[in-house]
Amino acid sequence: MQLVPKTNLSPELTPTTEKIILDVGGMKCAGCVKAVERQLAQYPGVKNASVNLATEVAVIESETGVVEPDALAKQLTAAGFPSQPRQSYGKLAEKTQALQDPAQQQRQEMQSARRQLVIATVLLILSGVGHLGSFSGELLPGLHNIWFHFGLATAALLIPGRSIFIDGWLGWRRNAPNMNTLVGLGTLTAYIASVVALLFPQLGWECFFDEPVMMLGFILLGRTLEKQARGSAAAAFKQLLNLQPQIARLLTKPKIGGEVGEILEIPADQVRVGEWLQVLPGDKIPVDGMVVDGQTTINESMLTGESVPVLKQNGDAVTAGTLNQSGAIAIEATRTGNDTTLAQIVALVEAAQVRKAPVQKLADTVAGYFTYGVLTAALFTFLFWYFIGTNIWADVATSTRMEMSHHSPQVIHHLYSPLLLSLKLAISVMVVACPCALGLATPTAILVGTAIAAEQGILIKGGDVLEKAHQLNTIVFDKTGTLTTGNPIVTDCLVLEELDSVPNSQHLLQLAAAVESGTCHPLATAIRKEAQRQQLFVPSGDRFHTEPGLGVSAVVEGNLVLLGNWDWLLAHGISIYEAAQKQAQALAVDGKTVVGVAVGEKFAGLIAVQDTLRSDAKLAVENLHQMGVRVMLLSGDTPAAAFAIAEQLGLNPTDVMAGVPPAKKADVIKSLQTPEIGISNSQSVVAMVGDGINDAPALSQADIGIALHAGTDVAMETADIVLMRNSLTDVTKSIQLSRATFNKIRQNLFWAFAYNTLGIPLAAGILLPSLHFVLNPAGAAALMAFSSVSVVTNSLLLRRFAHG
């Protein structure tokens, strides 16, 4: 059983919920998806359920500890959809063979589909050859004998068509008719009508045994091609799954005195935090860990996209799924099982593939009633042509005899009675309708798009994100740690007021480092590192207090020491001299962040810290401008420092929002989204790019939150898109891929709706009176098969993005 925990990369959940993943079989169309979701939603304790037809996966959000995954799977299986809880590698190996590996099951289904297709193709060829008239009679006597075609049609129904009839009947009994119900009913009706014509020739009906054979042949061909296309669509995600190591070498005795003890090979998901593992050259790192012995180079391209190996030695972190290239190392496990970075990526991508785009709601609504609607349309078609159409247009049967018959002219005279014509048109309506295309339109595009994004280090959390990205017109960047490297350095340390407690700049730095030891902000890190570089003694402090975006305080050497911006110091009653303000302004003009220091309720000095722009920041901004996206800078820093960064990036000063405390960042984003009080005159669809805890509210408020992987867990959990490579140019790429994927969704849905909107009336004979054109059941089956294949194939064209 795979219960997806709340991780730093998975979609946010409240602590009272858990996610259950089920592998669900037996789904053939959008109607099946609706039936499965309805079964899951009715189960006690289930809060939400999403089902993906393309990946045959259901993700269920339920109350923690209330829903038993095995019981949920049994209920779906009893309803006609064979299901089982997702198994991790180790647990799957312990299961009996009664629970089959879903990948193995899919391979067997594909082999079975191919065998059925071969049989259907042979029957189709024999049926076609049998209609070649005198040529077939001379070459193979008896091929155009009507009893021979009766045998072919019977064999087609009993062998390749058997599974279709059984599934269609079960769907009908469950009060959830599906595509197989339509196909089975249409094929069986054509077969029965032909048998009646054969047994009662005095009726003057045509025996069209070739129609069931051709219908089943075309449908099975379409389904086989569709399965192959769906397999190709899932290939990128399968490659992601294959990155997960399955075996780990456990060191039973950590290296002590040169001895490592026995080495045991165990399933990777059985490793526990704190255990030591041996990793040989050529092995994948089995879990997230830290190097404790040895030195090597690691290929981290699966995570960062960089093909250049990275040197790893004692104390360096390594990630599960990356490849050890040069040396044998020992690592200590720090995160295992579902907590590893790779497992979180896989869980996120899989969850994203079942999060539906809002545009799909119409398709889902239609799918819920589609089969009933088609059966109703077929009934009305029959009734109309039998009672009205053939009376109004009496010549329609005569005019279509030659087009629809393979027999001699003498037989054509009795070919189309009103009953037979009405029946064939009703059959065509049932067969041409394709709920499968509606069901595959969105999930196949999301499957391909999110998997390609994951390959490129971009984690997109669902179809709803793709739809929002399509409308995106404004991107707001946080400054520190996002546009800048997040590794600032101290450039100036100035004592502006001579105090007994602060005799020189070195002592000022010592006090500042002591206060900053209680926080992990990039500016705090810079001050501590500068103290270390100067080899200064850092005294201890207590009573630490941090106010995000304003400053910090602590008691050091008996004095209250304050570090922060002017608002922070003024709030504590510190008077700031004019000379200090001028000095701070001069430093800020150079793009430096100025931190004021007060000791014992008196202003003492300034520390200036400068952060450098990321190397790809300017290129990312230029690319976004070329896409027509407005780029804005949001910072809690002083206006002078923010404008200096904006100038380097080529941003308009009106697109800079400085001096914004963390608590108000979300309000700024909201103001951009609201035309009445916004900075712009029109409503904006806003993305926020950030990396810190203080960015989380703004990331949540934005239409799309984008977080860097190097940022905090909270930021990544709140964000809709996570950039694993920490590259700002991936912001552009993520938006481009989102737009390309959503365009495919729209194209697929348009085709699915247009096909059914045009195909059903055409099959119902709308052109029969004027153009004497009718779509026979075999042609309808071919069109239906083509419609679902075309939707999946169109989604696969997204792969060009990966190579573009």
Side-chain angles (χ1 to χ4, degrees):
M1 174 185 68
Q2 182 172 356
L3 296 180
V4 181
K6 183 179 179 182
T7 67
N8 61 343
L9 287 179
S10 60
E12 58 271 19
L13 295 174
T14 64
T16 58
T17 62
E18 64 183 357
K19 279 194 174 180
I20 300 171
I21 297 179
L22 300 181
D23 292 302
V24 183
M27 295 187 295
K28 300 295 188 299
C29 63
C32 298
V33 171
K34 203 72 176 175
V36 172
E37 289 182 342
R38 186 166 54 246
Q39 286 281 340
L40 293 172
Q42 292 171 351
Y43 196 90
V46 171
K47 291 188 171 184
N48 184 45
S50 294
V51 180
N52 189 310
L53 176 62
T55 57
E56 297 183 322
V57 165
V59 175
I60 301 98
E61 184 179 337
S62 65
E63 298 175 11
T64 304
V66 173
V67 178
E68 181 61 39
D70 288 319
L72 201 58
K74 285 180 181 177
Q75 175 166 313
L76 282 183
T77 301
F81 302 100
S83 305
Q84 67 182 53
R86 173 62 54 84
Q87 304 294 325
S88 61
Y89 172 79
K91 293 180 181 177
L92 186 61
E94 298 169 4
K95 290 284 183 181
T96 62
Q97 293 185 353
L99 288 178
Q100 195 173 24
D101 179 6
Q104 177 65 23
Q105 185 176 346
Q106 289 176 359
R107 284 193 292 270
Q108 291 181 359
E109 289 177 356
M110 191 66 201
Q111 291 172 356
S112 175
R114 286 171 177 164
R115 285 194 298 268
Q116 291 179 341
L117 176 61
V118 169
I119 296 171
T121 302
V122 172
L123 295 174
L124 184 62
I125 292 173
L126 290 174
S127 177
V129 171
H131 286 287
L132 293 179
S134 59
F135 174 77
S136 63
E138 294 173 3
L139 186 64
L140 295 171
L143 277 186
H144 66 282
N145 183 285
I146 193 63
W147 288 99
F148 173 74
H149 288 279
F150 164 75
L152 289 179
T154 304
L157 265 64
L158 293 178
I159 304 175
R162 182 172 177 270
S163 60
I164 292 176
F165 292 119
I166 291 175
D167 184 72
W169 169 246
L170 291 175
W172 185 273
R173 283 188 59 188
R174 294 191 302 264
N175 198 28
N178 54 31
M179 186 172 64
N180 282 343
T181 306
L182 295 175
V183 172
L185 191 57
T187 307
L188 197 59
T189 304
Y191 177 78
I192 292 173
S194 298
V195 171
V196 171
L198 177 63
L199 298 179
F200 303 98
Q202 65 271 22
L203 293 175
W205 291 9
E206 176 200 13
C207 290
F208 47 100
F209 286 115
D210 56 321
E211 298 287 8
V213 177
M214 286 192 286
M215 279 192 285
L216 289 173
F218 286 132
I219 287 167
L220 289 172
L221 172 63
R223 289 192 179 176
T224 304
L225 294 176
E226 178 195 314
K227 278 182 177 290
Q228 289 180 328
R230 282 162 64 175
S232 299
F237 181 62
K238 289 177 181 176
Q239 289 175 3
L240 195 61
L241 289 175
N242 292 336
L243 288 174
Q244 297 186 99
Q246 297 176 347
I247 298 296
R249 293 184 176 87
L250 176 66
L251 297 174
T252 57
K253 186 187 299 181
K255 190 171 183 179
I256 300 174
E259 297 183 4
V260 295
E262 186 180 359
I263 299 175
L264 297 177
E265 289 193 357
I266 63 173
D269 64 353
Q270 292 184 7
V271 176
R272 297 179 179 178
V273 173
E275 291 182 330
W276 283 32
L277 307 171
Q278 183 189 56
V279 186
L280 300 177
D283 287 350
K284 290 179 181 177
I285 305 295
V287 296
D288 290 358
M290 181 178 66
V291 178
V292 291
D293 187 57
Q295 178 177 299
T296 188
T297 53
I298 301 287
N299 184 340
E300 297 183 332
S301 58
M302 56 77 65
L303 188 66
T304 65
E306 296 294 335
S307 58
V308 179
V310 180
L311 177 66
K312 299 289 183 179
Q313 49 195 358
N314 278 7
D316 289 339
V318 291
T319 304
T322 55
L323 184 64
N324 182 22
Q325 290 196 324
S326 59
I329 56 173
I331 67 170
E332 180 181 349
T334 56
R335 290 197 292 185
T336 63
N338 290 333
D339 293 329
T340 65
T341 301
L342 179 58
Q344 292 170 23
I345 293 173
V346 170
L348 173 60
V349 173
E350 190 158 42
Q353 289 169 353
V354 295
R355 276 178 60 176
K356 299 179 180 180
V359 72
Q360 192 186 356
K361 289 180 180 177
L362 177 60
D364 288 344
T365 302
V366 171
Y369 306 98
F370 189 87
T371 307
Y372 295 107
V374 171
L375 290 173
T376 303
L379 177 61
F380 277 126
T381 298
F382 176 82
L383 294 175
F384 172 80
W385 284 106
Y386 184 72
F387 291 107
I388 301 174
T390 51
N391 293 321
I392 297 177
W393 302 288
D395 63 331
V396 291
T398 305
S399 63
T400 56
R401 289 175 186 176
M402 293 299 294
E403 295 178 31
M404 302 181 67
S405 174
H406 301 288
H407 296 286
S408 60
Q410 289 77 11
V411 181
I412 294 176
H413 180 71
H414 303 288
L415 180 57
Y416 286 113
S417 67
L419 176 63
L420 191 61
L421 177 63
S422 304
L423 194 61
K424 291 193 78 169
L425 291 173
I427 293 171
S428 295
V429 170
M430 284 190 285
V431 175
V432 79
C434 189
C436 194
L438 283 173
L440 291 170
T442 298
T444 51
I446 293 176
L447 171 64
V448 177
T450 54
I452 289 174
E455 282 182 340
Q456 300 187 17
I458 302 168
L459 303 185
I460 300 172
K461 292 188 179 179
D464 50 341
V465 179
L466 296 172
E467 184 163 346
K468 290 176 187 175
H470 178 77
Q471 303 167 334
L472 188 67
N473 54 29
T474 303
I475 291 187
V476 180
F477 283 92
D478 173 57
K479 183 177 77 70
T480 304
T482 303
L483 286 172
T484 61
T485 60
N487 298 309
I489 58 172
V490 174
T491 58
D492 302 89
C493 184
L494 307 175
V495 176
L496 300 181
E497 289 293 327
E498 293 186 6
L499 303 174
D500 293 338
S501 56
V502 188
N504 51 47
S505 60
Q506 285 82 7
H507 196 75
L508 182 69
L509 187 60
Q510 287 176 298
L511 294 176
V515 176
E516 296 287 20
S517 63
T519 184
C520 59
H521 191 276
L523 298 183
T525 303
I527 292 172
R528 291 198 305 268
K529 284 185 176 180
E530 180 62 19
Q532 292 174 1
R533 189 187 68 81
Q534 295 186 24
Q535 298 182 344
L536 300 176
F537 168 75
V538 178
S540 60
D542 58 8
R543 291 161 57 185
F544 292 95
H545 175 70
T546 300
E547 194 69 33
L550 293 174
V552 295
S553 66
V555 175
V556 183
E557 296 179 344
N559 292 313
L560 176 65
V561 181
L562 300 167
L563 272 76
N565 58 26
W566 291 162
D567 292 337
W568 176 247
L569 297 180
L570 291 172
H572 286 78
I574 307 299
S575 299
I576 303 171
Y577 301 101
E578 185 178 352
Q581 293 179 4
K582 289 182 178 180
Q583 184 67 49
Q585 189 174 4
L587 294 169
V589 169
D590 294 331
K592 299 176 182 179
T593 300
V594 180
V595 178
V597 183
V599 180
E601 300 184 356
K602 291 186 178 180
F603 186 82
L606 300 172
I607 297 178
V609 180
Q610 189 166 37
D611 199 357
T612 56
L613 274 179
R614 289 179 181 267
S615 58
D616 56 353
K618 187 172 178 60
L619 177 61
V621 171
E622 290 175 351
N623 290 340
L624 290 169
H625 279 154
Q626 289 174 2
M627 292 171 60
V629 176
R630 182 187 185 190
V631 180
M632 305 185 74
L633 173 63
L634 179 62
S635 175
D637 211 338
T638 62
F643 285 138
I645 293 293
E647 186 177 357
Q648 296 179 53
L649 293 171
L651 293 179
N652 193 309
T654 58
D655 290 332
V656 177
M657 296 167 288
V660 181
K664 294 185 178 180
K665 286 185 177 181
D667 293 335
V668 171
I669 299 297
K670 187 175 182 179
S671 72
L672 290 172
Q673 297 168 316
T674 309
E676 290 80 11
I677 59 173
I679 294 175
S680 61
N681 293 325
S682 59
Q683 185 174 1
S684 298
V685 179
V686 182
M688 170 71 188
V689 186
D691 71 324
I693 292 177
N694 59 355
D695 296 325
L699 290 171
S700 179
Q701 174 63 44
D703 297 291
I704 300 174
I706 303 176
L708 303 180
H709 180 242
T712 63
D713 291 354
V714 175
M716 286 184 288
E717 189 172 314
T718 307
D720 301 299
I721 298 175
V722 180
L723 307 180
M724 299 300 296
R725 300 177 184 176
N726 297 310
S727 171
L728 291 181
T729 54
D730 281 348
V731 173
T732 307
K733 193 179 295 183
S734 67
I735 296 171
Q736 291 173 335
L737 180 57
S738 296
R739 289 179 174 180
T741 304
F742 186 69
N743 283 336
K744 287 298 177 189
I745 291 174
R746 292 206 304 184
Q747 291 168 14
N748 288 346
L749 286 174
F750 173 80
W751 164 249
F753 278 110
Y755 164 79
N756 285 290
T757 302
L758 296 176
I760 292 175
L762 195 63
I766 194 172
L767 297 181
L768 185 55
S770 58
L771 300 179
H772 293 167
F773 174 82
V774 64
L775 185 65
N776 63 22
L783 274 180
M784 191 272 283
F786 170 74
S787 67
S788 18
V789 173
S790 63
V791 163
V792 181
T793 304
N794 187 48
S795 296
L796 285 172
L797 294 178
L798 270 173
R799 290 200 157 274
R800 293 183 302 180
F801 184 93
H803 303 100

